[in-house]
Amino acid sequence: MRHVFDRSETIRSLVTSRALLDILPNGLQPVRCILFDKTPLSNWPAAWHQDLTIALKEKHDTPGYLNWSFKDGVSHVQPPIELLEKMVTVRIHLDDTPTENGALKAIEESHLKGQIPSDKIAKLTDDSDSTCSCAAGDILLMKPLILHASERSITPVHRRIIHIEYADLSTLADDLE
């Protein structure tokens, strides 16, 4: 579910709370919030990828901002790598997320390699990955540039995660919101 900020005052209060902002680098603000829920009827895998796009209020052709798209009523773009490098994603687990329930997998320190060309991803993921099993209530922080994936749930029950992206808006081009 996209647009979670607009749908829940409770979520909006949580993601802007001092308790949550205090664990993040200074100057970061929430810019997107999504609720993921893998269920027996909606049980998808996510292939290895980096999160390379950001959501924006509207499209303005701006140098360095590439591959514009429109998802669920919102403009998305691939910003300069410097903006992505400063972002942090917070994942709040509402349900237990063990390996058999589609836990996130990540390639450690892959975020330090910048944007990884798609033809190079397979080579990096052939090595060992780390599974991020989490219990309900756990918070996982990650960099959007880390290579990550998840499998279909083997024991499909709810796997709800509030996925919040935080960015340093001072790195955003002046004509974008």
Side-chain angles (χ1 to χ4, degrees):
M1 175 190 311
R2 296 180 189 275
H3 313 295
V4 178
F5 287 138
D6 300 332
R7 298 174 191 245
S8 171
E9 178 60 38
T10 301
I11 298 295
R12 194 170 29 258
S13 295
L14 171 67
V15 302
T16 58
S17 69
R18 182 60 26 215
L20 195 50
L21 293 174
D22 280 349
I23 65 173
L24 299 173
N26 288 333
L28 296 185
Q29 297 177 42
V31 294
R32 179 166 44 182
C33 185
I34 302 169
L35 173 66
F36 293 118
D37 186 8
K38 284 190 180 182
T39 68
L41 298 176
S42 180
N43 183 13
W44 68 95
W48 287 105
H49 68 285
Q50 295 174 295
D51 293 338
L52 298 174
T53 62
I54 59 171
L56 293 173
K57 187 172 185 177
E58 58 188 27
K59 179 180 178 179
H60 290 283
D61 288 328
T62 305
Y65 290 75
L66 309 170
N67 303 319
W68 285 90
S69 62
F70 201 67
K71 300 176 196 169
D72 200 22
V74 177
S75 294
H76 288 73
V77 70
Q78 187 175 326
I81 197 76
E82 295 80 17
L83 189 149
L84 293 170
E85 288 171 337
K86 292 183 178 182
M87 289 181 69
V88 174
T89 298
V90 174
R91 293 169 57 97
I92 303 172
H93 292 77
L94 303 180
D95 300 298
D96 290 341
T97 310
T99 301
E100 58 273 6
N101 197 15
L104 186 85
K105 301 184 302 183
I107 303 297
E108 291 182 27
E109 298 187 355
S110 58
H111 64 289
L112 301 174
K113 299 178 185 303
Q115 183 178 349
I116 301 168
S118 54
D119 63 334
K120 305 282 189 230
I121 289 176
K123 183 174 190 256
L124 290 171
T125 59
D126 284 343
D127 298 334
S128 63
D129 59 69
S130 295
T131 299
C132 304
S133 296
C134 293
D138 283 352
I139 295 177
L140 175 71
L141 277 65
M142 63 182 247
K143 299 295 275 182
L145 289 175
I146 197 159
L147 273 174
H148 60 285
S150 67
E151 302 293 336
R152 287 185 192 276
S153 180
I154 297 167
T155 56
V157 294
H158 281 286
R159 193 216 68 179
R160 295 170 296 173
I161 295 168
I162 300 171
H163 173 103
I164 313 144
E165 297 172 2
Y166 291 83
D168 178 349
L169 297 182
S170 71
T171 62
L172 190 65
D174 291 337
D175 60 340
L176 299 174
E177 291 182 64

